[in-house]
Amino acid sequence: MNNRTSKCTENSQLLADPDSFKLACHIMTGFAIPIHFYGMWCILFKTSSMMLSVKRLLLWTHCLGALLDLSLSYLSMPYLLFPTFSGYSLGQMNMPELQIYIEMSLAALMCTSILSIYENRYFVLFGKNENPRWNRIRMYFLTFNYILAVTFIAPNYVFCPEQTIAVKIITERLPCTPEHSINNRNLFVAALDLNFTFFCLTFETFLLFIEVATFFFIVSVRLMYRGQRKMSLMSNRTHSLQKKFVMALCFQSTVPFVLIVVPIVYVLATLRLNYHNQLLTNICVLIGSSHGIVATIVMVLIHKPYRDATLELIYCCCVRKNGKIGSRKISTNVSPVNRVMKF
């Protein structure tokens, strides 16, 4: 009992404490909302003609990232107790069953939308003219992945346990005995048998990773091969622009993909190793809820139209500010002269 108590004291420090975790989520939400709106404005009104073919996918991916961010850091604020599949919902919503499904599905949809961007690049650059078979099956491929993204976690609800019994079992499994409620939010246990949950998460994670990596590899190799051909069908400038655009998309999509996959890998590791660390768990939740912020900043920095629009906006704000200061100085300098002339 003393050993369990000593481990419990660790959960009251830093971000392991529920109140500190909620404060961090509120701060993150305050930063996220204006950043997400600005990113949406850039996509809608500052997308260049070269990026038009992927504009809707960029907007779709951005909106999914914003929804996932706000769901984690504002609506849910999930205070999770790994290696058990349980926890508290400390946010504005208190519907754990629905929130787990929504957030798992949003994360999978985010990664699937990234897959759609890479597939779009392959289709536009190569598949449309060089691979007619892919033209016929691509919609089935994408539809399958999107359906899987919103259904892969659903079978776990078949094994959702009776809560009174489940809470007692979870209390024995965790090194730190959880409270039955935090801030009037009851402990919710989504599953007791974690093997099926582990399988579902692992399958979806590795499937999307393999698919995204495959399309990135194919597009990159084909672009390099096209650049080395002596008889190119397009100008060097067009090829260079396409190559830079693909590299920019790669970097833009890698950031949110990693910030989603890293917490998922941590979850899988804790489930398999039966490891409990509340501080690391809360940090992983914050990392997952910050991916949209980081992805938007990266998008604005690496795409020239968005970067130029941002610099122009900053310049206009500085000019206006300096203009107001200058006008005040002029008015203060002129006013004494006017008084003398009037006198």
Side-chain angles (χ1 to χ4, degrees):
M1 186 70 180
N2 291 333
N3 186 30
R4 177 172 288 192
T5 304
S6 64
K7 291 185 179 181
C8 285
T9 58
E10 297 177 1
N11 289 352
S12 62
Q13 300 173 358
L14 299 175
L15 291 175
D17 175 64
D19 292 330
S20 300
F21 175 68
K22 284 184 65 176
L23 177 61
C25 288
H26 285 308
I27 293 173
M28 189 167 295
T29 302
F31 282 104
I33 292 176
I35 290 175
H36 287 316
F37 273 111
Y38 181 72
M40 187 180 298
W41 176 80
C42 286
I43 295 173
L44 288 173
F45 302 106
K46 297 299 178 179
T47 300
S48 64
S49 57
M50 183 183 176
M51 299 168 61
L52 287 179
S53 62
V54 78
K55 178 179 178 178
R56 286 184 295 179
L57 287 174
L58 285 176
L59 183 62
W60 170 240
T61 304
H62 178 79
C63 290
L64 287 173
L67 287 174
L68 181 58
D69 275 7
L70 296 176
S71 179
L72 287 171
S73 64
Y74 179 72
L75 294 178
S76 293
M77 297 184 190
Y79 189 82
L80 305 173
L81 303 176
F82 294 124
T84 65
F85 203 16
S86 63
Y88 309 88
S89 176
L90 304 179
Q92 299 301 310
M93 287 181 62
N94 187 24
M95 302 173 64
E97 303 96 329
L98 180 61
Q99 290 166 242
I100 291 173
Y101 174 77
I102 289 175
E103 282 151 14
M104 290 287 191
S105 298
L106 282 174
L109 286 171
M110 256 291 303
C111 296
T112 306
S113 67
I114 294 172
L115 170 65
S116 300
I117 291 176
Y118 282 104
E119 190 280 331
N120 174 270
R121 287 295 86 200
Y122 171 77
F123 173 71
V124 171
L125 297 177
F126 309 108
K128 186 184 297 185
N129 300 320
E130 302 175 19
N131 191 349
R133 177 182 293 183
W134 180 251
N135 297 346
R136 292 192 298 267
I137 67 172
R138 60 186 296 264
M139 295 309 300
Y140 297 103
F141 170 79
L142 293 173
T143 301
F144 167 77
N145 276 278
Y146 275 107
I147 291 175
L148 187 63
V150 297
T151 58
F152 83 98
I153 200 65
N156 286 271
Y157 286 86
V158 177
F159 306 102
C160 190
E162 200 280 323
Q163 292 300 301
T164 304
I165 300 174
V167 169
K168 292 181 181 179
I169 297 174
I170 292 299
T171 299
E172 295 300 322
R173 287 185 182 179
L174 288 170
C176 177
T177 304
E179 301 178 35
H180 290 285
S181 66
I182 295 179
N183 297 334
N184 297 321
R185 301 298 177 89
N186 294 330
L187 176 64
F188 175 75
V189 181
L192 291 174
D193 184 3
L194 302 179
N195 291 325
F196 190 69
T197 302
F198 181 84
F199 170 77
C200 292
L201 287 172
T202 303
F203 176 77
E204 179 69 2
T205 301
F206 278 94
L207 176 65
L208 286 171
F209 177 79
I210 291 171
E211 289 174 335
V212 171
T214 300
F215 274 104
F216 169 70
F217 177 78
I218 293 173
V219 171
S220 300
V221 171
R222 294 291 296 273
L223 278 175
M224 290 176 61
Y225 174 73
R226 176 181 284 180
Q228 293 173 357
R229 291 175 59 185
K230 293 182 180 180
M231 298 298 293
S232 179
L233 300 178
M234 62 181 66
S235 66
N236 292 332
R237 182 177 180 276
T238 302
H239 174 74
S240 177
L241 289 174
Q242 289 181 349
K243 189 175 180 179
K244 289 180 180 179
F245 183 48
V246 170
M247 292 300 104
L249 285 176
C250 169
F251 191 74
Q252 176 188 346
S253 59
T254 299
V255 172
F257 194 81
V258 169
L259 291 179
I260 292 176
V261 170
V262 166
I264 292 176
V265 171
Y266 171 79
V267 171
L268 295 175
T270 58
L271 295 179
R272 183 53 58 190
L273 301 175
N274 196 32
Y275 176 70
H276 173 75
N277 188 316
Q278 195 60 50
L279 176 60
L280 288 180
T281 299
N282 290 354
I283 289 175
C284 280
V285 173
L286 292 174
I287 289 174
S289 61
S290 68
H291 85 281
I293 300 175
V294 178
T296 303
I297 294 173
V298 170
M299 178 188 72
V300 170
L301 292 177
I302 64 175
H303 290 297
K304 190 175 185 301
Y306 305 154
R307 185 171 66 248
D308 291 345
T310 303
L311 292 175
E312 183 179 354
L313 188 63
I314 294 173
Y315 174 77
C316 290
C317 291
C318 292
V319 168
R320 286 181 180 180
K321 185 177 180 180
N322 293 334
K324 289 181 180 180
I325 294 174
S327 62
R328 289 174 185 171
K329 289 181 178 179
I330 292 172
S331 62
T332 53
N333 292 332
V334 172
S335 57
V337 177
N338 291 336
R339 291 193 190 99
V340 171
M341 292 178 65
K342 289 179 181 179
F343 176 77

